[in-house]
Amino acid sequence: MSTGPTEADIIQHTSSLPGVVAETADEASGAPELAWGDTFFHYDPDGRDPADRPFPFATIVTKDYGTFDAESHLDRPGVYRLNINVGRTEFERLTGHSPAAHPAHHHEFDYTALDEVLPHPVYATQSWISILNPGQRTAGQALELITRAHARAARRHR
């Protein structure tokens, strides 16, 4: 289906960035059952208690979240979604409109498309983009966007 990075590749790449804590939600983590199997990347060089960690700068989601977040149809076999908080300027460069303007453009995107940079179907107004199964077209870009999002998180932390 994809010749790009696997979930494990993305987790390894992102976890290797300085100060990153990667959490894959499971029962032991106390995460809600719906989130089990999804991975959250936090910039947390201070090793805070998980309850006090900052909002993640990237996530990997492996399933639909009921009717709240189902437009990507992640219930398809082998499909996962990489989500990255890219900031307003990068979001506009990637999508052609500002995060605030996204509701007027929401209908223009196929949120089920693989290997495409898309606005996040739910969190676009907060400057999040998504890529379902990064592949030949987006693999390098995906890893670069993660690295930039990490740098933004580090700057905010300072």
Side-chain angles (χ1 to χ4, degrees):
M1 182 181 300
S2 171
T3 58
T6 65
E7 293 172 59
D9 294 334
I10 293 170
I11 291 169
Q12 191 280 324
H13 167 81
T14 309
S15 297
S16 72
L17 298 170
V20 170
V21 174
E23 294 179 293
T24 299
D26 59 15
E27 186 173 12
S29 72
E33 186 173 352
L34 186 59
W36 293 357
D38 296 341
T39 303
F40 304 84
F41 302 100
H42 305 269
Y43 181 76
D44 185 18
D46 305 322
R48 290 178 257 190
D49 182 272
D52 296 329
R53 285 201 178 116
F55 202 71
F57 65 88
T59 65
I60 296 174
V61 176
T62 60
K63 68 193 103 25
D64 292 330
Y65 275 54
T67 57
F68 170 72
D69 182 1
E71 285 186 84
S72 296
H73 296 281
L74 298 175
D75 53 352
R76 294 174 284 165
V79 176
Y80 69 94
R81 186 178 67 211
L82 171 63
N83 307 299
I84 308 166
N85 185 339
V86 295
R88 287 186 294 272
T89 302
E90 186 71 5
F91 182 93
E92 188 164 351
R93 186 185 73 75
L94 292 167
T95 66
H97 62 272
S98 71
H102 184 69
H105 296 275
H106 185 87
H107 68 282
E108 297 171 9
F109 297 91
D110 175 4
Y111 297 99
T112 65
L114 302 178
D115 196 21
E116 286 187 33
V117 176
L118 301 165
H120 188 286
V122 177
Y123 298 114
T125 58
Q126 296 166 334
S127 304
W128 284 77
I129 59 94
S130 60
I131 305 170
L132 276 66
N133 293 50
Q136 277 188 307
R137 287 184 299 198
T138 62
Q141 184 179 24
L143 298 179
E144 178 61 29
L145 290 170
I146 289 168
T147 302
R148 287 187 202 161
H150 166 264
R152 284 182 66 248
R155 283 192 303 275
R156 282 194 311 269
H157 178 76
R158 287 192 228 78

